[in-house]
Amino acid sequence: MGKKRKHVETLAAEAAAAEAKKNDVAPERPKRTLVGWKDKPQEDDEERENGGEAHPRVFRNKEKVLITCSRRINFRYRHLMLNVASLLPHSKRDNKVESKESKGATLNELVELKNCSSCLFFECRKHKDLYLWMAKSPNGPSVKFLVNAVHTMEELKLTGNHLKGSRPLLTFSANFDKEPHWKLLKELMLQIFQIPKEHRKSKPFHDHVFAFSILDDHIWFRNYQITVPHNEPTKMDRGGLDKMTLTEVGPRFCLNPIKIFGGSFGGPTLYENPFYISPNQIRSLQKKKKAGRYVQKVKAKTRRKMHEMANPMERDELADMWKE
């Protein structure tokens, strides 16, 4: 038997379907912001067309911070990283990252996979030096700090104690508003260390303070608990706020800014610290100092020998008297 011929309508439908499949393109990926994925406001447009008023969008801070470190990190620096992670309930942790030239691309990919918008990367070099990267991903900016004067909570054993997961008050010294690079650092730390309101892991209380102070071109970090004397069974009146005191909790560390980059973990240099001296340079100067002391000792010995040869002692007449 011969094959049945296809109808003209069926052929036309198949051709239209093939043409539609050919022209079919994947929808454009929405941009990611702090509020979340930025979708097109279709509902608002429909309401406006129908004559109704569009509902105003409520800003919701969805900031999330990825905290990770490099391999071969020192135990004190690892404890510092864990202390910082415990202070930030909106943070996420990941495995250690190899400290190579391509670490920027790796970290940006990890930040995107973890659905975060910021990153704190603790990079340890030579088991001695700790560098802290603060970056906004994926477009930047990013800052590289040298971390000095590290004291963890376990070392200090201070009397302060605040609720875990509570939201802190951030205070900055007046020096942050003097120069543009300090203003940029202030905004970056404000976005990273400020816990979003109504975060699922945070508590709706303010019982501690993060203090950032500038001294000798270094940023000093302190964490204080807000203590209130409860002598009466009732709550304290607003007029008694002057009775509040601050008790330090920890940790403590000092940040020395090295460079500010325009991108995430790289890009054009926006600012470079002219007073920064690398730890390798400091160690080499100390070695040269020690080597200079040894050279001075050798020179003193040679001078003493030359002096003895130039001024020999006179022979004593009675030196060999009792040898006979």
Side-chain angles (χ1 to χ4, degrees):
M1 292 179 65
K3 294 181 180 179
K4 292 183 179 180
R5 294 183 180 179
K6 294 184 178 180
H7 295 288
V8 179
E9 296 177 358
T10 310
L11 293 172
E14 288 180 357
E19 187 69 24
K21 190 175 182 181
K22 188 177 180 181
N23 297 331
D24 192 12
V25 182
E28 186 180 355
R29 189 178 182 182
K31 294 182 179 180
R32 189 177 63 177
T33 60
L34 287 175
V35 186
W37 296 103
K38 189 175 181 181
D39 299 324
K40 294 181 180 179
Q42 297 177 355
E43 298 178 358
D44 295 350
D45 295 342
E46 291 177 359
E47 289 183 1
R48 284 170 186 166
E49 288 176 359
N50 297 333
E53 294 183 358
H55 297 288
R57 285 193 171 189
V58 179
F59 175 77
R60 186 180 177 188
N61 188 359
K62 292 188 177 181
E63 179 79 22
K64 294 178 185 176
V65 184
L66 176 68
I67 299 178
T68 183
C69 64
S70 63
R71 295 189 181 276
R72 295 172 290 277
I73 192 171
N74 197 353
F75 70 96
R76 291 184 70 243
Y77 300 150
R78 188 179 70 252
H79 291 172
L80 175 67
M81 182 192 70
L82 295 175
N83 292 157
V84 174
S86 66
L87 293 176
L88 304 177
H90 65 299
S91 64
K92 293 184 178 182
R93 289 180 54 207
D94 200 82
N95 298 330
K96 296 178 181 178
V97 180
E98 191 66 43
S99 181
K100 294 182 178 178
E101 293 181 358
S102 60
K103 66 176 179 293
T106 307
L107 288 168
N108 284 329
E109 189 175 355
L110 283 174
V111 170
E112 188 174 0
L113 288 173
K114 290 286 185 177
N115 197 19
C116 298
S117 55
S118 305
C119 181
L120 288 177
F121 179 58
F122 292 83
E123 184 180 8
C124 186
R125 296 282 183 88
K126 297 185 177 181
H127 298 277
K128 299 177 183 177
D129 309 324
L130 179 65
Y131 297 92
L132 175 61
W133 286 84
M134 289 186 189
K136 298 290 292 181
S137 184
N139 299 322
S142 57
V143 191
K144 185 179 182 181
F145 296 99
L146 174 67
V147 185
N148 296 319
V150 174
H151 298 282
T152 61
M153 289 184 182
E154 292 79 9
E155 290 177 359
L156 293 173
K157 295 182 180 177
L158 296 169
T159 56
N161 184 21
H162 60 77
L163 189 67
K164 186 175 182 180
S166 59
R167 300 178 64 207
L169 300 172
L170 270 65
T171 61
F172 295 87
S173 60
N175 306 343
F176 277 96
D177 297 328
K178 289 185 177 180
E179 296 185 19
H181 66 277
W182 292 123
K183 290 181 181 178
L184 178 60
L185 292 177
K186 177 182 177 181
E187 183 62 30
L188 185 63
M189 289 186 288
L190 194 67
Q191 292 187 19
I192 291 176
F193 287 93
Q194 190 176 23
I195 299 172
K197 188 179 179 181
E198 298 178 359
H199 190 271
R200 60 188 183 88
K201 289 186 179 180
S202 67
K203 309 291 190 303
F205 309 109
H206 294 278
D207 62 346
H208 63 290
V209 180
F210 288 166
F212 297 91
S213 307
I214 297 176
L215 184 65
D216 297 333
D217 294 325
H218 290 61
I219 300 174
W220 299 80
F221 174 83
R222 294 291 184 272
N223 179 24
Y224 297 100
Q225 177 199 1
I226 304 172
T227 55
V228 182
H230 289 286
N231 298 328
E232 300 176 1
T234 58
K235 292 184 178 180
M236 177 178 279
D237 298 331
R238 289 188 177 273
L241 295 177
D242 54 344
K243 297 179 182 178
M244 291 185 178
T245 57
L246 296 178
T247 309
E248 189 173 355
V249 182
R252 297 177 182 174
F253 55 88
C254 172
L255 301 176
N256 185 10
I258 303 172
K259 280 186 179 182
I260 302 177
F261 299 98
S264 179
F265 297 101
T269 304
L270 303 180
Y271 170 77
E272 186 172 1
N273 189 0
F275 305 106
Y276 171 70
I277 302 173
S278 66
N280 293 332
Q281 199 171 352
I282 294 171
R283 282 192 288 266
S284 68
L285 290 172
Q286 290 175 351
K287 285 182 180 179
K288 285 180 182 177
K289 217 175 201 180
K290 290 180 180 178
R293 290 178 186 173
Y294 175 73
V295 170
Q296 287 176 2
K297 287 181 181 179
V298 173
K299 286 181 179 179
K301 284 183 180 180
T302 54
R303 281 199 304 269
R304 181 63 184 172
K305 286 182 180 179
M306 295 293 291
H307 178 73
E308 289 176 356
M309 291 171 64
N311 304 302
M313 293 180 64
E314 295 182 359
R315 181 175 175 78
D316 190 4
E317 297 176 357
L318 304 174
D320 299 332
M321 181 176 175
W322 306 104
K323 287 184 179 181
E324 297 176 356

